[in-house]
Structures are given as C-alpha cells and as structure tokens.
C-alpha cells in the first residue's frame, strides 16, 4: 500500500495506492479469459472484484516480471483486507492478501511500533507507521529501565514520503555516552503532528545483549 516499505496491518489514508509486483518465468496472463483476470477483492466482496489487467505493466525487455498500481478511492475508516489474485500464461494462479487500517486525516495515529534489530548488540532503529506522510512530525524516544528511570532520550523532527518512519537510530549508550548494561528496557515513542498539534504515544520493550 502506497510504497514498498508498507507492512501489512499498517495505516493508510482514505485513498491509498495498491501496489503489486509480479514475477513468473512463463509471464503473467493479462489477456484474461473466463475467471483468469488479475483481480483485487476488497473486504471479501467476491461479487464486486476490481479488475486490474489494464493497470499491469511488464518491465521493459523482460516479459517475466512487472508491476501494477491501482488507486482506491474514498474507503471507509477502519480495517480493510485486499485479496489479490493473478495467473501466469499457463493459468496457474497465485493469491496474496494484505490488511490495512484507514484513518482520518485529523489526529496523528501510529501503528507497528517496533525497534529493529531487537534484541541488539551495537545499534537498533525505531520504526513506526503513521497517517501523516509529507508532514513534519516531532518524534521523541525515551528508553528507560523497567523501574522507570530514563537512560536515553532523543528528539528529532522527521518527514517521510510514505507512511513508515525509521529515521531514529540508537547505539545502546546512555545520555552521557556510556554503554548501558545488558537486559530488558522499556521505551516510549511519542509522535506529534506539527500541523494539527495532535500527539500520540506508545510503550514497547527492547533487549540489549
């Protein structure tokens, strides 16, 4: 959804762009035939599939692979599922599924908060998906012991073209530059929209080896 950094279960706006990347040694069937169209089924509504043959583009000089982009419009706020189906030229099918959450544009919302790698030794990166692409977001990460003592904090303004941010990295050292001990820590991720002045936060765990 929207770009290749999207993680299933993440956030989009009401009019997301559906992306599919296909590859088959025999080529992809775009000539349809009865029941052999490239289709997307939204929320299990098999009686009203989206026919996507005309949106598929083969890579230049390589008939075995290609991609398609299809714009959905004015989807309802909430959880949605897309079931995607395509065929090769010998009519062997492939099916894939993705879920996404449509949110309104008013308040900042985040999902899929994680740090990677986790556990880690030398560094980790904080990831989250959000509903404010192209907007400046004020992000704060606070790492604390399980008893609540803050050992490291970072404030950074990030702007992403898509819905995924992974701009903040931590080397496992405290605010004084000293490496902290091995073990389990809690971190709080706070994200504020500069334009709407709304904020949200979430707590997660990380482990240092």
């Amino acid at each position: 959804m929207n770009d290749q950094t999207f993680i299933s279960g993440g956030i989009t706006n009401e009019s997301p762009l559906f992306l599919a990347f296909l590859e088959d040694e025999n080529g992809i069937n775009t000539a349809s035939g009865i029941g052999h169209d490239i289709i997307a089924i939204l929320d299990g509504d098999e009686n009203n599939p989206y026919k996507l043959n005309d949106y598929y583009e083969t890579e230049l000089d390589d008939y075995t692979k290609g991609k398609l982009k299809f714009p959905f419009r004015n989807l309802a706020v909430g959880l949605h599922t897309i079931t995607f189906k395509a065929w090769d030229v010998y009519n062997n099918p492939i099916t894939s599924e993705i879920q996404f959450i449509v949110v309104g544009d008013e308040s900042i919302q985040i999902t899929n908060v994680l740090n990677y790698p986790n556990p880690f030794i030398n560094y980790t990166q904080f990831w989250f998906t959000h509903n404010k692409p192209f907007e400046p977001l004020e992000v704060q990460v606070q790492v604390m012991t399980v008893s609540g003592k803050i050992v490291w904090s970072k404030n950074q303004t990030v702007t992403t073209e898509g819905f995924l941010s992974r701009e903040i990295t931590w080397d496992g050292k405290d605010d004084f530059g000293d490496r902290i001990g091995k073990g389990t820590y809690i971190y709080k991720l706070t994200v504020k929209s500069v334009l709407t002045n709304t904020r949200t936060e979430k707590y997660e765990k990380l482990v240092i080896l």
Side-chain angles (χ1 to χ4, degrees):
M1 306 305 296
N2 298 301
D3 60 50
Q4 288 181 266
T5 65
F6 184 83
I7 301 170
S8 185
I11 287 173
T12 76
N13 54 19
E14 294 96 332
S15 298
L17 185 66
F18 174 70
L19 308 176
F21 300 87
L22 302 173
E23 183 173 358
D24 187 278
E25 61 182 1
N26 299 309
I28 308 301
N29 184 352
T30 58
S32 69
I34 299 175
H36 291 167
D37 291 308
I38 301 174
I39 61 171
I41 298 171
L42 181 65
D43 299 330
D45 186 3
E46 297 184 0
N47 294 322
N48 296 287
Y50 292 84
K51 185 177 176 180
L52 307 180
N53 296 24
D54 293 340
Y55 294 86
Y56 178 76
E57 296 181 359
T58 302
E59 281 197 11
L60 187 65
D61 300 324
D62 189 351
Y63 70 91
T64 67
K65 61 180 65 174
K67 62 184 178 181
L68 65 82
K69 299 179 180 181
F70 179 77
F72 283 90
R73 294 285 181 252
N74 301 317
L75 298 181
V77 171
L79 178 65
H80 294 278
T81 301
I82 291 176
T83 303
F84 176 74
K85 193 168 188 178
W87 309 76
D88 69 9
V89 294
Y90 292 109
N91 290 323
N92 298 302
I94 183 67
T95 301
S96 186
E97 188 173 280
I98 194 170
Q99 291 188 322
F100 59 100
I101 302 169
V102 172
V103 298
D105 289 332
E106 299 80 22
S107 61
I108 177 72
Q109 297 190 42
I110 58 175
T111 57
N112 295 322
V113 176
L114 58 92
N115 66 292
Y116 181 83
N118 187 26
F120 72 96
I121 298 175
N122 297 318
Y123 82 98
T124 191
Q125 200 172 46
F126 296 93
W127 296 26
F128 64 94
T129 55
H130 59 87
N131 61 323
K132 298 291 183 179
F134 303 104
E135 290 188 23
L137 302 175
E138 294 180 355
V139 181
Q140 181 187 65
V141 179
Q142 292 179 311
V143 178
M144 59 197 79
T145 64
V146 292
S147 62
K149 178 186 177 182
I150 296 175
V151 295
W152 179 79
S153 60
K154 175 75 171 182
N155 293 281
Q156 185 170 323
T157 299
V158 303
T159 304
T160 59
E161 293 184 1
F163 291 78
L164 174 66
S165 171
R166 50 186 181 189
E167 275 66 37
I168 297 180
T169 301
W170 182 41
D171 60 5
K173 297 179 181 179
D174 64 19
D175 285 328
F176 301 100
D178 298 320
R179 184 163 298 279
I180 65 174
K182 299 176 182 180
T184 300
Y185 294 82
I186 308 296
Y187 67 90
K188 180 173 76 169
L189 178 79
T190 304
V191 183
K192 177 183 176 182
S193 169
V194 175
L195 298 183
T196 63
N197 202 35
T198 57
R199 71 170 63 223
T200 186
E201 62 185 37
K202 190 169 183 180
Y203 289 85
E204 292 292 345
K205 291 183 180 180
L206 60 81
V207 177
I208 300 178
L209 297 177

